[in-house]
Amino acid sequence: MKLSIPRASPLTSIQHVSSSPSLLTPASIRLFSVLNRPPPNYPGHVPLTSIERTALALGSGLISFLNPRRADTIAAFAEVTATPYFIYRLRDAMLASPTGRQILRDRPRITSTSLNLEYLRSLPANSLGRTYVAWLDRERVSPDTRCAVRYVSDPECAYVLQRYRESHDFYHALTGLPTVREGEVALKAFEFANTLLPMTGLSVLAAATLKPSERRRFWSTYLPWAVRNGLRAEEVINVYWEREMETDVGELRARLGVEPPPDLREIRRREREERKRQKAAISGAA
């Protein structure tokens, strides 16, 4: 099991140096600043000052609310708001689970190459793997589009957030929710109840941008479903998806405590057909 070792804070280091005047040099007391940025803790890591982190949180949060399809700003907001508490809570949940600990040891990545999508298409229709790849094909999305974590300082916690991010499409497949805005908001409500990550909570506010009929459906049907299932379900971050591909998806839902919501895609299809029927009836009457 990989455990992160806390590092001494800059203040502690300064106090230690000041106790030995002969060691005190200007270079040894320079604090973290834009002009004195420490080296990255892992490839791609960008250390941030408190001011930079706050500014990035405010800016990315506003842009993400106004445009929920901006994956880059949503990813940045998730990273800068996950620390100091929320990502550690998620990491500790993994450390408390045998499967979570195994994932942290192995650090698998979810990509189209690592998953062998052609093999998944050959699995039985009721398997998780076939359900997952069928959802990818239907929604025309790829597991290769997830942004790399850059703004989380602890390497282990950075992996935890990367794992959460790359597992997102499995959450879609598990629940059957589509990628339309209404489906994304419902899924983010489920994720917030299950993970407590602030970004998922902010995404729920995007319900205000839904059409009136969609908003009513969200408040009456999908939000209660999300809260009920997100709170009672097992920590979905601890699912080793790569080892569950041949598992019956219904069995996996039962094991995790997740009941599928009403089929949103089918509901929207019926609504479209009803609108077409009414429009045709009006045109015929005219």
Side-chain angles (χ1 to χ4, degrees):
M1 178 174 59
K2 298 180 180 178
L3 296 176
S4 299
I5 301 175
R7 299 183 178 183
S9 68
L11 180 58
T12 303
S13 300
I14 292 172
Q15 290 173 342
H16 176 74
V17 171
S18 63
S19 64
S20 304
S22 61
L23 299 178
L24 188 61
T25 65
S28 66
I29 61 173
R30 282 185 299 179
L31 297 177
F32 177 16
S33 69
V34 175
L35 299 179
N36 184 42
R37 198 178 299 277
N41 295 332
Y42 53 87
H45 174 227
V46 179
L48 296 176
T49 66
S50 297
I51 294 176
E52 288 174 325
R53 186 173 295 277
T54 301
L56 184 57
L58 294 175
S60 61
L62 178 61
I63 295 173
S64 300
F65 177 75
L66 297 176
N67 185 2
R69 293 190 178 275
R70 283 286 303 273
D72 56 338
T73 58
I74 292 174
F77 182 80
E79 293 173 32
V80 296
T81 58
T83 52
Y85 168 72
F86 301 97
I87 194 61
Y88 289 103
R89 190 211 72 80
L90 206 57
R91 191 270 312 270
D92 290 347
M94 296 186 73
L95 290 174
S97 162
T99 304
R101 292 194 297 272
Q102 186 64 54
I103 294 172
L104 288 176
R105 281 193 293 268
D106 297 345
R107 296 198 179 188
R109 298 294 302 273
I110 297 176
T111 67
S112 58
T113 303
S114 67
L115 293 181
N116 190 349
L117 300 184
E118 288 306 315
Y119 167 70
L120 299 185
R121 292 187 178 96
S122 71
L123 293 175
N126 62 338
S127 65
L128 172 67
R130 180 72 173 274
T131 301
Y132 169 74
V133 78
W135 183 89
L136 291 179
D137 293 341
R138 183 173 62 248
E139 301 296 331
R140 298 180 181 179
V141 296
S142 167
D144 299 325
T145 58
R146 300 299 171 188
C147 300
V149 173
R150 304 172 61 199
Y151 304 118
V152 176
S153 296
D154 184 278
E156 188 172 55
C157 289
Y159 174 75
V160 171
L161 192 57
Q162 189 73 41
R163 179 69 179 182
Y164 155 77
R165 185 173 291 169
E166 294 178 356
S167 297
H168 179 75
D169 291 340
F170 278 101
Y171 305 157
H172 270 292
L174 192 68
T175 61
L177 290 167
T179 57
V180 296
R181 181 175 296 194
E182 185 180 1
E184 289 289 2
V185 172
L187 185 59
K188 281 292 184 275
F190 168 83
E191 290 179 359
F192 181 62
N194 194 261
T195 69
L196 299 181
L197 289 174
M199 176 275 294
T200 57
L202 175 72
S203 299
V204 175
L205 299 180
T209 66
L210 298 174
K211 296 176 181 178
S213 61
E214 296 173 344
R215 196 160 53 243
R216 288 193 296 270
R217 184 161 54 225
F218 173 74
W219 291 113
S220 64
T221 302
Y222 288 95
L223 180 60
W225 166 84
V227 173
R228 181 173 65 253
N229 282 268
L231 290 177
R232 78 179 182 186
E234 299 292 328
E235 299 268 6
V236 289
I237 192 66
N238 287 329
V239 179
Y240 210 137
W241 303 105
E242 296 88 341
R243 297 183 177 181
E244 299 284 359
M245 292 301 182
E246 299 179 6
T247 302
D248 182 281
V249 68
E251 176 188 321
L252 181 59
R253 287 172 180 148
R255 190 200 316 160
L256 296 176
V258 176
E259 60 179 345
D263 189 334
L264 182 57
R265 183 172 289 280
E266 178 63 20
I267 292 174
R268 291 167 63 91
R269 185 190 66 79
R270 290 200 301 264
E271 287 184 344
R272 287 194 301 271
E273 291 181 351
E274 179 62 20
R275 287 195 297 268
K276 290 179 180 179
R277 187 190 65 78
Q278 292 178 355
K279 185 176 180 179
I282 293 174
S283 299

